[in-house]
């Protein structure tokens, strides 16, 4: 494989040689936190480690190299990571040669990288989101020079050609762009992943083709705001065009994409989805709040009216398309009236799935400085109210699927009462279970829905 020139050949060969001379190769363990983008990055980290001749370990205790790929989006995620890093101290005491690395969004936050090395002196490497390609060099320096690595650097470059170790199963995540330019006032992404930059379409198409050849059945195109894909590229391309190119590829696969920003979703994109059966009928469209005042303070650049207009268009152009969204509860300054507008909008749209979050202040963001913090007790009460509402709507949306036919892609099975039960998602992203055989894992199966539970459907093979 041709590796990006910044990816040190010398370092790769050194670790390869080391692994050849040992009775057993160095074993690695990568733990991912947070969003799909992080999981996609972890597949590249694992790809590089395999290229160096290392082998995947079943757990942290039998590893020689441990990498935590962290998430900085929520405060609770930070706390969890710190707890998990702390727990590695005992392992390091038993195995002095153990190499521990921490990377990902969290370490790009101001003061965090330094703080990790100070608080956990046994950590060997702390490196930023754009420096994954340098992992071989970092490991080389830790082994040969006993160096402590502390390197975070946001830049606008994209490093193509890194090897990828895909996760087991039929789903393949392919980043189409990195970073974000939107600066929503609560979000750290533009600060920890840098400004928005798109991959050249030919690199994306090559990766999709490779995934299809590896028998991947679901291609998940990833970006913080896929709807603005293509900005800054020389070629005349946008997300709708890219999606069309992917949909035209030959093979038995389907396509999903994450995440759409309501302000950038175009009619052209809806047309492309409507005319291509390979593109799943499910759109995740983060709303965040149903109040114009709160949306303005969040710097979301759309109003509830515009959002509802877009939903109407989706419903008209893509009948049967399921919808999901994200909501933040307790944004600074949010009043009961604002919250009620969110509830009202949710009742109107009827999302099949809703991801609900309590507002958490992130360092360095504009919302960190906003006054009028909603008391925690109130936030939690509103949150419970929202969860209750969505449980009812979600259950209704699940019931509505009874009698419908679905194309399900089972990604695993379980044994239940002596029977094999396949589990997977349908086109509209509902979780579907049905009785079948082990050989049906990773194979599209047509199923008729006979029962609905609160969060899943039960069906029979047609
Ligand atoms: S669109 Fe807003 S919420 Fe999404 S990653 Fe960009 S800044 Fe964050």
């Amino acid at each position: 494989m041709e590796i990006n020139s910044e990816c040190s050949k010398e370092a790769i060969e050194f670790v390869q040689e080391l692994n050849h001379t040992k009775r057993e190769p160095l074993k690695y363990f990568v733990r991912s936190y947070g969003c799909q983008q992080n999981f996609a990055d972890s597949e590249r980290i694992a790809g590089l480690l395999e290229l160096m001749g290392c082998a995947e370990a079943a757990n942290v205790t039998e590893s020689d190299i441990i990498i935590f790929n962290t998430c900085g989006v929520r405060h609770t995620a930070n706390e969890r990571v710190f707890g998990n890093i702390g727990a590695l101290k005992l392992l390091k005491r038993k195995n002095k040669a153990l190499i521990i690395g921490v990377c990902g969004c969290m370490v790009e936050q101001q003061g965090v990288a330094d703080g990790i090395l100070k608080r956990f002196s046994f950590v060997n490497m702390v490196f930023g989101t754009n420096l994954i390609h340098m992992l071989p060099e970092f490991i080389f320096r830790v082994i040969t020079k006993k160096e402590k690595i502390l390197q975070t650097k946001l830049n606008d470059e994209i490093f193509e050609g890194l090897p990828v170790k895909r996760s087991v199963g039929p789903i393949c995540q392919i980043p189409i762009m990195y970073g974000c330019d939107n600066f929503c006032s609560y979000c750290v992404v533009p600060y920890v992943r840098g400004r928005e930059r798109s991959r050249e379409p030919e690199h994306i198409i090559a990766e999709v083709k490779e995934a299809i050849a590896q028998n991947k059945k679901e291609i998940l195109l990833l970006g913080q705001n896929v709807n603005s894909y293509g900005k800054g590229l020389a070629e005349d391309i946008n997300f709708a065009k890219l999606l069309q190119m992917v949909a035209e590829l030959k093979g038995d696969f389907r396509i999903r994409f994450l995440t759409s920003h309501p302000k950038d979703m175009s009619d052209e994109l809806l047309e492309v989805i409507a005319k291509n059966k390979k593109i799943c009928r499910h759109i995740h469209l983060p709303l965040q709040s149903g109040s114009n005042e709160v949306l303005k303070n969040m710097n979301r650049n759309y109003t509830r009216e515009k959002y509802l207009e877009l939903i109407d268009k989706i419903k008209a152009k893509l009948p049967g398309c399921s919808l999901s969204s994200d909501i933040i509860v307790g944004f600074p300054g949010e009043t009961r009236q604002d919250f009620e507008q969110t509830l009202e909008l949710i009742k109107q749209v009827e999302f099949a799935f809703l991801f609900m979050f309590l507002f958490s202040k992130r360092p360095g963001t504009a919302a960190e400085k906003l006054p009028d913090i909603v008391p925690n007790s109130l936030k939690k009460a509103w949150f419970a109210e929202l969860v209750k509402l969505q449980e009812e709507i979600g259950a209704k949306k699940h019931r509505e699927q009874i009698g419908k036919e679905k194309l399900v892609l089972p990604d695993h099975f379980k044994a239940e009462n002596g029977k094999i039960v396949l589990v997977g998602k349908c086109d509209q992203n509902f979780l579907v279970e049905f009785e079948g055989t082990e050989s049906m894992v990773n194979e599209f199966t047509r199923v008729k829905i006979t029962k609905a539970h609160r969060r899943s459907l039960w069906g029979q093979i047609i």
Side-chain angles (χ1 to χ4, degrees), residues 73 179-190 196 223-225 259-261 263 286 288 298-300 328:
V73 171
C180 184
D181 277 353
N182 288 311
F183 291 92
C184 300
S185 65
Y186 51 84
C187 182
V188 288
V189 168
E196 181 182 301
Q224 304 295 344
N225 176 11
T259 300
S260 291
H261 195 304
K263 79 176 168 59
Q288 309 302 5
M298 287 178 166
N299 194 30
R300 291 289 289 172
I328 295 175

Side-chain angles (χ1 to χ4, degrees), residues 118-188:
K118 275 194 197 119
R119 186 168 159 191
F120 308 105
S121 56
F122 52 87
V123 169
N124 304 86
M125 318 180 281
V126 178
F127 56 98
T129 48
N130 292 356
L131 298 170
I132 288 170
H133 60 287
M134 290 181 70
L135 179 64
E137 188 194 314
F138 296 153
I139 291 178
F140 173 76
R141 279 158 53 189
V142 169
I143 295 176
T144 59
K145 301 179 189 152
K146 305 278 173 271
E147 259 186 71
K148 274 251 182 244
I149 307 294
L150 170 58
Q151 216 160 315
T152 55
K153 177 186 84 170
L154 282 181
N155 55 37
D156 291 339
E157 289 160 81
I158 292 180
F159 296 95
E160 294 290 355
L162 296 187
V164 184
K165 181 171 191 245
R166 306 241 176 249
S167 333
V168 192
I171 303 168
C172 173
Q173 320 177 70
I174 300 188
I176 61 165
M177 60 203 293
Y178 300 96
C180 184
D181 277 353
N182 288 311
F183 291 92
C184 300
S185 65
Y186 51 84
C187 182
V188 288

